[in-house]
Amino acid sequence: FSSYVDVLTYHSWASRIWKGTGERGWAPNRGTGAPYDIAWRKLGSALRASEVPIGPLVIDEAQDLPPNFYAEISKCLCLEPGAGVSIFADENQTLKPDLNSSISEISKQFGAVNPLSQCSLTENYRNTREIAELAARFFVGLQTGRPKLPVGRNGERPRLVGYREGDAGMINSVVTYAKNNPSASILVILPSSPILKSWHASLTTRLPRRDVGAYLSGQANRDFGVDSMRLGDDGSISLVH
Protein backbone atom coordinates (compact mmCIF):
# COMPACT_ATOMS: atom_id res chain seq x y z
CA PHE A 1 0.00 0.00 0.00
CA SER A 2 1.04 3.59 -0.56
CA SER A 3 1.75 5.92 2.34
CA TYR A 4 -1.62 7.61 1.71
CA VAL A 5 -4.75 5.66 2.65
CA ASP A 6 -8.11 7.00 1.51
CA VAL A 7 -10.77 6.13 4.10
CA LEU A 8 -14.39 6.14 2.94
CA THR A 9 -17.74 4.78 4.09
CA TYR A 10 -19.27 1.94 2.10
CA HIS A 11 -21.85 4.07 0.25
CA SER A 12 -19.46 6.98 -0.37
CA TRP A 13 -16.87 4.65 -1.89
CA ALA A 14 -19.50 2.95 -4.06
CA SER A 15 -20.67 6.31 -5.38
CA ARG A 16 -17.09 7.41 -6.07
CA ILE A 17 -16.30 4.40 -8.23
CA TRP A 18 -19.74 4.70 -9.90
CA LYS A 19 -18.89 8.24 -10.94
CA GLY A 20 -15.52 6.97 -12.12
CA THR A 21 -17.34 5.00 -14.81
CA GLY A 22 -18.75 8.22 -16.20
CA GLU A 23 -22.11 8.03 -14.43
CA ARG A 24 -23.60 10.69 -12.18
CA GLY A 25 -25.15 10.78 -8.73
CA TRP A 26 -25.19 8.10 -6.07
CA ALA A 27 -24.45 4.47 -6.77
CA PRO A 28 -27.44 2.56 -8.24
CA ASN A 29 -29.92 1.11 -5.73
CA ARG A 30 -31.79 -2.19 -6.05
CA GLY A 31 -35.06 -0.39 -5.37
CA THR A 32 -35.77 -2.06 -2.03
CA GLY A 33 -36.04 1.21 -0.13
CA ALA A 34 -32.90 0.49 1.91
CA PRO A 35 -30.55 3.45 1.26
CA TYR A 36 -27.40 1.33 1.18
CA ASP A 37 -28.82 -1.65 -0.76
CA ILE A 38 -26.60 -1.06 -3.78
CA ALA A 39 -27.20 -2.79 -7.12
CA TRP A 40 -23.77 -4.40 -7.26
CA ARG A 41 -24.36 -6.38 -10.45
CA LYS A 42 -25.07 -3.16 -12.32
CA LEU A 43 -22.17 -1.34 -10.69
CA GLY A 44 -19.79 -4.26 -11.23
CA SER A 45 -20.66 -4.51 -14.91
CA ALA A 46 -20.04 -0.77 -15.35
CA LEU A 47 -16.68 -1.04 -13.58
CA ARG A 48 -15.46 -3.90 -15.74
CA ALA A 49 -16.69 -2.26 -18.94
CA SER A 50 -14.88 0.98 -18.17
CA GLU A 51 -11.84 -0.75 -16.58
CA VAL A 52 -11.92 1.58 -13.57
CA PRO A 53 -9.31 0.41 -11.01
CA ILE A 54 -10.59 -0.13 -7.47
CA GLY A 55 -7.74 -1.89 -5.64
CA PRO A 56 -5.97 -2.39 -3.38
CA LEU A 57 -8.69 -2.51 -0.70
CA VAL A 58 -8.94 -2.86 3.06
CA ILE A 59 -12.51 -3.76 4.09
CA ASP A 60 -13.43 -3.38 7.75
CA GLU A 61 -16.67 -4.60 9.35
CA ALA A 62 -16.94 -6.86 6.30
CA GLN A 63 -19.75 -8.91 7.84
CA ASP A 64 -22.14 -6.00 7.19
CA LEU A 65 -21.69 -6.01 3.41
CA PRO A 66 -23.86 -8.22 1.15
CA PRO A 67 -22.63 -11.35 -0.66
CA ASN A 68 -23.18 -9.80 -4.11
CA PHE A 69 -20.70 -7.06 -3.19
CA TYR A 70 -17.95 -9.66 -2.81
CA ALA A 71 -18.98 -11.51 -5.95
CA GLU A 72 -18.72 -8.38 -8.10
CA ILE A 73 -15.64 -6.86 -6.47
CA SER A 74 -13.69 -10.09 -6.82
CA LYS A 75 -14.39 -10.12 -10.55
CA CYS A 76 -13.18 -6.53 -10.88
CA LEU A 77 -9.98 -7.18 -8.93
CA CYS A 78 -9.14 -10.02 -11.33
CA LEU A 79 -8.55 -7.31 -13.93
CA GLU A 80 -5.97 -5.62 -11.66
CA PRO A 81 -2.87 -7.83 -11.26
CA GLY A 82 -1.26 -7.29 -7.88
CA ALA A 83 -4.23 -5.41 -6.38
CA GLY A 84 -4.62 -7.09 -3.02
CA VAL A 85 -7.52 -7.00 -0.60
CA SER A 86 -7.62 -7.45 3.19
CA ILE A 87 -10.98 -8.33 4.73
CA PHE A 88 -11.80 -8.04 8.45
CA ALA A 89 -15.08 -9.57 9.62
CA ASP A 90 -16.75 -10.62 12.86
CA GLU A 91 -20.05 -12.48 12.48
CA ASN A 92 -20.99 -11.66 16.07
CA GLN A 93 -21.17 -7.93 15.28
CA THR A 94 -23.67 -8.00 12.41
CA LEU A 95 -25.92 -4.92 12.19
CA LYS A 96 -28.48 -5.87 9.53
CA PRO A 97 -29.10 -9.63 9.16
CA ASP A 98 -30.88 -9.17 5.82
CA LEU A 99 -27.88 -7.48 4.19
CA ASN A 100 -24.94 -9.19 5.88
CA SER A 101 -22.43 -11.85 4.84
CA SER A 102 -21.14 -14.71 6.94
CA ILE A 103 -17.45 -15.55 6.79
CA SER A 104 -18.27 -18.66 4.76
CA GLU A 105 -20.28 -16.54 2.30
CA ILE A 106 -17.39 -14.10 1.90
CA SER A 107 -15.02 -16.97 1.24
CA LYS A 108 -17.45 -18.54 -1.24
CA GLN A 109 -18.24 -15.37 -3.19
CA PHE A 110 -14.77 -13.84 -3.19
CA GLY A 111 -12.77 -17.05 -3.21
CA ALA A 112 -14.57 -18.38 -6.27
CA VAL A 113 -12.42 -16.04 -8.36
CA ASN A 114 -9.62 -14.96 -6.02
CA PRO A 115 -7.94 -17.40 -3.59
CA LEU A 116 -8.13 -16.27 0.03
CA SER A 117 -5.84 -17.05 2.93
CA GLN A 118 -7.75 -16.93 6.22
CA CYS A 119 -6.66 -16.26 9.79
CA SER A 120 -9.09 -16.68 12.69
CA LEU A 121 -8.70 -14.85 16.00
CA THR A 122 -10.11 -16.86 18.88
CA GLU A 123 -9.06 -14.73 21.84
CA ASN A 124 -10.55 -11.49 23.12
CA TYR A 125 -7.99 -8.66 23.09
CA ARG A 126 -10.50 -5.82 23.42
CA ASN A 127 -12.39 -6.05 26.69
CA THR A 128 -11.99 -6.77 30.37
CA ARG A 129 -13.06 -10.22 31.51
CA GLU A 130 -16.24 -8.81 33.08
CA ILE A 131 -17.36 -7.16 29.83
CA ALA A 132 -16.53 -10.29 27.83
CA GLU A 133 -18.61 -12.44 30.20
CA LEU A 134 -21.58 -10.10 29.71
CA ALA A 135 -21.20 -10.15 25.92
CA ALA A 136 -21.07 -13.96 25.94
CA ARG A 137 -24.64 -14.04 27.25
CA PHE A 138 -25.82 -12.58 23.94
CA PHE A 139 -24.13 -15.26 21.82
CA VAL A 140 -26.60 -16.59 19.22
CA GLY A 141 -24.83 -19.81 18.23
CA LEU A 142 -22.81 -18.83 15.17
CA GLN A 143 -20.22 -21.27 13.88
CA THR A 144 -17.37 -18.93 14.80
CA GLY A 145 -18.20 -19.55 18.46
CA ARG A 146 -17.42 -17.48 21.52
CA PRO A 147 -13.90 -16.03 21.84
CA LYS A 148 -11.81 -17.15 24.77
CA LEU A 149 -12.18 -14.96 27.85
CA PRO A 150 -9.33 -12.52 28.61
CA VAL A 151 -6.78 -13.60 31.19
CA GLY A 152 -5.31 -11.08 33.63
CA ARG A 153 -7.37 -8.15 32.31
CA ASN A 154 -10.04 -7.38 34.88
CA GLY A 155 -12.24 -4.37 35.53
CA GLU A 156 -15.48 -3.23 37.10
CA ARG A 157 -18.54 -5.42 36.87
CA PRO A 158 -20.96 -3.91 34.31
CA ARG A 159 -24.40 -2.74 35.46
CA LEU A 160 -27.65 -2.49 33.51
CA VAL A 161 -29.87 0.25 34.93
CA GLY A 162 -33.39 1.26 33.89
CA TYR A 163 -34.78 4.77 34.45
CA ARG A 164 -38.49 5.53 34.68
CA GLU A 165 -37.73 9.19 34.02
CA GLY A 166 -36.13 8.45 30.63
CA ASP A 167 -33.35 10.81 29.56
CA ALA A 168 -33.78 13.02 32.62
CA GLY A 169 -33.01 10.12 34.94
CA MET A 170 -30.00 9.05 32.92
CA ILE A 171 -28.62 12.60 32.81
CA ASN A 172 -29.06 12.90 36.59
CA SER A 173 -27.09 9.67 36.99
CA VAL A 174 -24.22 10.92 34.79
CA VAL A 175 -24.13 14.27 36.61
CA THR A 176 -24.03 12.57 40.02
CA TYR A 177 -21.30 10.18 38.91
CA ALA A 178 -19.24 13.01 37.41
CA LYS A 179 -19.46 15.09 40.60
CA ASN A 180 -18.48 12.11 42.77
CA ASN A 181 -15.62 11.14 40.42
CA PRO A 182 -14.05 14.42 39.26
CA SER A 183 -11.12 12.77 37.46
CA ALA A 184 -13.15 10.05 35.71
CA SER A 185 -13.32 9.94 31.91
CA ILE A 186 -16.95 9.36 30.87
CA LEU A 187 -18.29 8.25 27.47
CA VAL A 188 -22.02 8.34 26.63
CA ILE A 189 -23.31 6.69 23.44
CA LEU A 190 -26.61 8.20 22.24
CA PRO A 191 -29.11 7.05 19.59
CA SER A 192 -29.61 10.25 17.58
CA SER A 193 -28.20 13.70 16.85
CA PRO A 194 -31.11 15.63 18.49
CA ILE A 195 -30.75 13.60 21.69
CA LEU A 196 -26.97 14.18 21.70
CA LYS A 197 -27.47 17.94 21.36
CA SER A 198 -30.01 17.91 24.18
CA TRP A 199 -27.62 15.97 26.43
CA HIS A 200 -24.76 18.32 25.58
CA ALA A 201 -26.81 21.40 26.47
CA SER A 202 -27.89 19.87 29.78
CA LEU A 203 -24.45 18.59 30.83
CA THR A 204 -22.59 21.79 29.96
CA THR A 205 -25.11 23.74 32.06
CA ARG A 206 -25.05 21.40 35.04
CA LEU A 207 -21.32 20.62 34.92
CA PRO A 208 -19.75 23.96 33.93
CA ARG A 209 -16.29 22.94 35.15
CA ARG A 210 -16.16 19.70 33.18
CA ASP A 211 -14.90 19.34 29.62
CA VAL A 212 -17.93 18.08 27.64
CA GLY A 213 -17.01 17.12 24.08
CA ALA A 214 -19.18 15.57 21.39
CA TYR A 215 -18.96 13.97 17.97
CA LEU A 216 -21.43 13.90 15.09
CA SER A 217 -20.42 12.58 11.69
CA GLY A 218 -19.46 14.77 8.74
CA GLN A 219 -20.80 18.28 8.26
CA ALA A 220 -23.16 17.93 11.21
CA ASN A 221 -20.16 17.88 13.55
CA ARG A 222 -18.69 21.03 11.99
CA ASP A 223 -22.06 22.78 12.15
CA PHE A 224 -22.49 21.80 15.81
CA GLY A 225 -19.34 23.74 16.70
CA VAL A 226 -18.35 21.64 19.72
CA ASP A 227 -14.80 20.62 20.54
CA SER A 228 -13.99 17.04 19.58
CA MET A 229 -13.90 14.26 22.15
CA ARG A 230 -10.86 13.68 24.32
CA LEU A 231 -11.37 10.10 25.41
CA GLY A 232 -9.30 9.05 28.37
CA ASP A 233 -8.37 12.56 29.53
CA ASP A 234 -8.96 13.07 33.24
CA GLY A 235 -12.29 14.74 33.88
CA SER A 236 -13.51 14.56 30.27
CA ILE A 237 -17.07 13.74 29.24
CA SER A 238 -17.61 12.60 25.66
CA LEU A 239 -20.91 12.21 23.80
CA VAL A 240 -21.11 10.25 20.57
CA HIS A 241 -23.88 9.26 18.17
Side-chain angles (χ1 to χ4, degrees):
F1 294 101
S2 66
S3 58
Y4 174 75
V5 178
D6 198 2
V7 180
L8 293 172
T9 59
Y10 167 67
H11 55 290
S12 296
W13 177 78
S15 293
R16 171 182 286 190
I17 60 176
W18 173 245
K19 293 174 184 177
T21 67
E23 300 289 347
R24 295 182 178 181
W26 291 98
N29 190 277
R30 293 201 306 164
T32 61
Y36 304 145
D37 191 4
I38 295 169
W40 276 106
R41 288 186 178 179
K42 182 176 182 179
L43 180 49
S45 296
L47 287 171
R48 292 189 293 275
S50 59
E51 298 183 354
V52 174
I54 60 172
L57 295 174
V58 177
I59 304 171
D60 195 18
E61 304 293 354
Q63 73 279 353
D64 289 318
L65 305 183
N68 58 358
F69 162 79
Y70 294 103
E72 295 300 322
I73 291 303
S74 63
K75 296 174 186 176
C76 294
L77 288 173
C78 279
L79 305 177
E80 299 179 49
V85 58
S86 297
I87 302 172
F88 299 90
D90 184 347
E91 294 179 350
N92 289 300
Q93 297 191 65
T94 298
L95 295 178
K96 297 182 178 181
D98 56 330
L99 293 176
N100 76 303
S101 294
S102 65
I103 292 177
S104 61
E105 285 174 324
I106 294 173
S107 299
K108 178 181 178 180
Q109 295 293 342
F110 202 94
V113 181
N114 293 275
L116 290 176
S117 59
Q118 184 172 319
C119 176
S120 298
L121 299 180
T122 59
E123 295 187 28
N124 185 323
Y125 294 95
R126 173 179 291 178
N127 309 118
T128 61
R129 186 180 183 89
E130 289 76 8
I131 294 296
E133 288 174 340
L134 173 63
R137 293 180 176 271
F138 297 91
F139 178 68
V140 296
L142 296 175
Q143 292 182 355
T144 47
R146 296 183 180 92
K148 298 176 183 178
L149 293 175
V151 177
R153 194 164 66 248
N154 299 93
E156 295 182 17
R157 184 178 181 181
R159 294 184 300 152
L160 181 62
V161 183
Y163 296 92
R164 293 181 179 179
E165 307 89 347
D167 275 10
M170 289 185 281
I171 290 174
N172 288 338
S173 178
V174 171
V175 169
T176 300
Y177 183 84
K179 289 180 177 179
N180 292 336
N181 301 272
S183 63
S185 176
I186 301 171
L187 171 66
V188 183
I189 303 174
L190 298 163
S192 69
S193 297
I195 292 177
L196 181 148
K197 293 178 181 180
S198 174
W199 272 65
H200 186 268
S202 179
L203 291 177
T204 52
T205 299
R206 298 179 62 180
L207 298 169
R209 297 183 180 181
R210 297 296 289 264
D211 178 14
V212 183
Y215 176 78
L216 295 168
S217 62
Q219 185 62 43
N221 196 54
R222 292 186 286 272
D223 293 341
F224 192 26
V226 175
D227 289 341
S228 60
M229 301 183 297
R230 284 177 282 277
L231 298 176
D233 287 1
D234 288 350
S236 67
I237 300 176
S238 300
L239 310 179
V240 63
H241 159 49

